[in-house]
Amino acid sequence: MSYQVLARKWRPRDFASCVGQEHVVRALTHALEQQRLHHAYLFTGTRGVGKTTLSRILAKCLNCVGPDGRGGMTATPCNQCDACTAIDAGRFVDYIEMDAASNRGVDEMTALLERAVYAPSNARFKVYMIDEVHMLTTHAFNAMLKTLEEPPEYVKFILATTDPQKIPVTVLSRCLQFNLKQMTPQHVATLLTEILRKEGISAEPVALRLLGQAARGSMRDGLSLLDQAIAYSAGSVTAEAVRGMLGAIDTTVLVRLLDALAARDAKGLLALADEMAGRSLSFAQGLRDLGSLLHRIALVQQVPEALADDDAAEAIRRLAKRFSADEVQLYYQVALHGRNDLHLAPDDYAGFTMALLRMLAFAPTTAPGESTTQRAAALVASKPRATMPARVALSPPTAVRGASLPPSAAPLARAPVAPQPSNGPQRSNGPLRIDDWPALVTRLPINGLTRELASRSELLAVEGDVVRLRVPMKTLADASNIERLKSALGQHFNRSLRVQVDVGTTAGPTAAALVEQARSERQKRAEEAIHADPFVKQVIENFGASIDPASIRPAD
């Protein structure tokens, strides 16, 4: 007897055995119990989450007749009658599964719809299941629209896809859509535990957790990996065997790596990378697992009770105290970018080690074993608390004599303060003066509508820290534009300012008016130069030519 893979052997046969899709099971169960059945269903979700399985269970619920042959539609199929057993075996004539990837044309769809008009041969409903329906052509979708909207009363359509964005909205509006969730690692590990118990195979919980994480949300992938793990370990599924099969990295290696990073030990980091290369471990998986470990450390730093108790819990709590929050965020970003750029590296080893060295290069400068938080506290504690003048400088003789003295013993002398222009950066404790608003506007680091606001505004008054302006258009007096202008003025004058903008006719000089005036003057000079040119005059006199003013542009 040939071996049947676990993914097929333990495929759920009723709604009660489905895992992780409770929201879909609940809706379908209530619909069957209340006899409120839609004529077309659409199941969407990634690979291996149960789209085909739910389709077969729904087909059994619609056609089940019970063990005695007298039952009706039910939410709990008996799995004993001819209809249930035939659907499970894939030989039920009125349950048709079609792969749209290989039957995607309008001819195949037309043939299917022509058969749909005939009543089922020995069933209550004729059920058409179209898998990967997004692969159908546009003409095929158009051909099925009418039948999908108003099918015969004995026909049900079940569509399944991994990419619902490619399905026309005209098809989506005719279907009852269910979005299937990705399976969590806990759901996968729980089901694997139950299956191994029924199979009589022992397994370590850590090994099943690793398989649940490696499944990446797919129950079918999890069962396929379990098949591989059973064969790899020759029976008992152990954590060591699963790590070897997956190329996964033991958490202790990652903890040692972070310890070396905290100690700024570049040699230790490279030694660990060489150890991973010697064990043929996946560097891509290493960066992924390192990101997961840093994520758990960040969670512990913010929400200590969020940490689940496992073998690495104690090490994670220790690392959470050793690293500061900003360091963890930095290393997490480097790990993510390093993994994404791994295919661009000369080889995986170079990409992995460069990611580690990048963490080391961008790490805050601290003593070995000292976090940035501790370093910052030490710097604050070491600063003198005496109040110092705002601007001080050492005179040259004092600087020479004070070179061998402690910093506190060096005498201080007040440096002369150079006079500043009224529109340059000012001290926050002096009166604010703006003598030339248009000239100031040209120096502000602003653009877009904010520059339009400043250029077309007239300075009304400066009252303390309030700058009052007037603009001719209400659209320029937008709150966001005013806020950006206030920020630019505050940065320029090095003080906190407020900006008030009135709407009205401007009378005083504005930057835009001065620019327009200068442009007009240049244009006028250019036109005068053209009219005064001897050659132009000769052409006008001899040929009766005329000058088009719109064609004249100043050279500057």
Side-chain angles (χ1 to χ4, degrees):
M1 181 178 177
S2 61
Y3 175 72
Q4 190 176 27
V5 298
L6 296 177
R8 294 183 59 190
K9 181 178 180 180
W10 295 105
R11 181 192 293 269
R13 302 174 63 196
D14 50 40
F15 288 136
S17 56
C18 289
V19 177
Q21 308 299 344
E22 290 78 9
H23 63 298
V24 180
V25 170
R26 179 179 179 180
L28 295 178
T29 300
H30 290 172
L32 289 163
E33 291 174 349
Q34 300 173 13
Q35 303 292 303
R36 300 177 63 88
L37 297 172
H38 204 273
H39 59 268
Y41 295 89
L42 174 63
F43 295 146
T44 66
T46 187
R47 78 277 179 267
V49 294
K51 298 184 295 294
T52 304
T53 297
L54 286 173
S55 171
R56 294 180 182 179
I57 295 175
L58 181 57
K60 289 194 293 184
C61 293
L62 294 172
N63 292 301
C64 179
V65 295
D68 57 358
R70 299 179 181 179
M73 284 188 298
T74 177
T76 55
C78 66
N79 290 316
Q80 298 178 20
C81 65
D82 292 341
C84 290
T85 55
I87 291 175
D88 284 335
R91 50 181 171 79
F92 192 63
V93 68
D94 290 314
Y95 175 68
I96 301 97
E97 286 189 5
M98 187 183 83
D99 178 22
S102 53
N103 299 278
R104 60 193 305 265
V106 65
D107 294 335
E108 291 87 351
M109 182 55 62
T110 302
L112 182 148
L113 298 176
E114 288 176 351
R115 295 192 299 269
V117 299
Y118 298 105
S121 58
N122 62 344
R124 192 177 294 114
F125 291 97
K126 181 180 288 188
V127 181
Y128 288 94
M129 193 277 181
I130 306 178
D131 198 10
E132 298 300 337
V133 69
H134 67 274
M135 299 293 289
L136 292 177
T137 63
T138 303
H139 294 300
F141 275 123
N142 292 334
M144 71 183 297
L145 286 180
K146 187 61 179 176
T147 305
L148 189 63
E149 182 177 10
E150 298 177 354
E153 60 180 6
Y154 47 78
V155 172
K156 301 293 182 185
F157 285 98
I158 302 177
L159 313 180
T161 179
T162 56
D163 195 355
Q165 287 80 14
K166 294 183 179 179
I167 300 178
V169 67
T170 51
V171 174
L172 293 176
S173 65
R174 289 166 166 80
C175 299
L176 201 62
Q177 183 173 347
F178 293 98
N179 299 315
L180 276 64
K181 302 175 183 177
Q182 281 194 320
M183 308 300 294
T184 64
Q186 293 77 15
H187 276 140
V188 177
T190 300
L191 185 62
L192 297 185
T193 303
E194 182 64 20
I195 289 174
L196 288 177
R197 184 185 63 79
K198 295 177 181 178
E199 291 282 335
I201 299 175
S202 62
E204 296 179 359
V206 176
L208 298 183
R209 284 201 298 268
L210 290 172
L211 292 175
Q213 294 170 358
R216 300 282 182 259
S218 170
M219 185 62 75
R220 182 172 59 236
D221 288 3
L223 291 170
S224 299
L225 289 171
L226 180 60
D227 256 327
Q228 184 180 354
I230 293 172
Y232 185 88
S233 59
S236 179
V237 180
T238 63
E240 182 180 358
V242 170
R243 287 195 182 96
M245 179 191 77
L246 297 176
I249 300 175
D250 190 354
T251 306
T252 57
V253 176
L254 299 176
V255 171
R256 290 165 53 200
L257 190 147
L258 290 179
D259 282 332
L261 185 61
R264 308 292 185 262
D265 184 7
K267 183 180 294 186
L269 290 174
L270 294 179
L272 287 169
D274 292 339
E275 178 183 336
M276 291 171 57
R279 295 167 56 185
S280 299
L281 298 178
S282 170
F283 289 112
Q285 184 66 35
L287 289 172
R288 183 186 296 115
D289 292 343
L290 182 59
S292 298
L293 182 59
L294 290 167
H295 168 251
R296 297 184 68 186
I297 293 173
L299 283 179
V300 171
Q301 290 178 334
Q302 302 298 329
V303 188
E305 61 272 14
L307 180 63
D309 288 330
D310 55 20
D311 298 339
E314 188 60 34
I316 290 175
R317 291 191 183 94
R318 178 176 59 81
L319 290 170
K321 296 178 181 178
R322 190 167 189 183
F323 289 110
S324 63
D326 54 346
E327 283 181 288
V328 175
Q329 294 296 328
L330 170 67
Y331 301 153
Y332 180 78
Q333 288 295 323
V334 172
L336 289 186
H337 288 292
R339 179 174 172 268
N340 292 335
D341 297 341
L342 202 60
H343 67 284
L344 301 175
D347 53 68
D348 286 357
Y349 176 83
F352 182 77
T353 53
M354 280 300 293
L356 298 181
L357 295 177
R358 194 176 302 127
M359 294 178 186
L360 201 59
F362 288 107
T365 304
T366 59
E370 180 186 29
S371 68
T372 54
T373 304
Q374 296 169 335
R375 177 63 176 168
L379 288 174
V380 171
S382 64
K383 286 185 178 180
R385 298 184 180 274
T387 303
M388 298 178 64
R391 292 177 178 266
V392 296
L394 293 176
S395 62
T398 306
V400 174
R401 292 193 301 270
S404 60
L405 298 176
S408 59
L412 297 176
R414 186 177 301 274
V417 180
Q420 299 177 351
S422 60
N423 287 341
Q426 299 183 10
R427 294 173 50 81
S428 60
N429 57 353
L432 178 63
R433 292 176 51 199
I434 301 178
D435 297 331
D436 190 349
W437 171 252
L440 173 60
V441 169
T442 60
R443 294 196 293 271
L444 292 179
I446 51 178
N447 50 33
L449 290 177
T450 307
R451 176 159 291 280
E452 283 294 309
L453 167 64
S455 299
R456 298 188 180 278
S457 62
E458 171 192 3
L459 179 65
L460 297 180
V462 178
E463 301 169 351
D465 286 337
V466 179
V467 179
R468 294 186 53 211
L469 305 173
R470 178 187 290 145
V471 291
M473 292 178 288
K474 185 177 180 180
T475 54
L476 293 177
D478 184 74
S480 59
N481 296 336
I482 296 174
E483 183 64 27
R484 285 191 285 269
L485 178 59
K486 183 184 76 171
S487 176
L489 287 171
Q491 182 179 0
H492 181 82
F493 289 108
N494 192 24
R495 64 196 299 165
S496 178
L497 299 176
R498 287 190 300 150
V499 176
Q500 292 183 356
V501 178
D502 301 331
V503 179
T505 304
T506 57
T510 65
L514 294 178
V515 170
E516 180 62 24
Q517 180 180 352
R519 189 197 66 79
S520 299
E521 291 177 355
R522 291 198 304 272
Q523 179 71 19
K524 183 178 179 181
R525 289 195 298 270
E527 292 177 2
E528 291 175 349
I530 290 294
H531 284 88
D533 186 87
F535 175 75
V536 174
K537 287 182 178 180
Q538 185 178 2
V539 170
I540 294 174
E541 293 173 359
N542 295 338
F543 299 99
S546 62
I547 300 175
D548 182 8
S551 64
I552 302 175
R553 295 288 184 271
D556 54 348

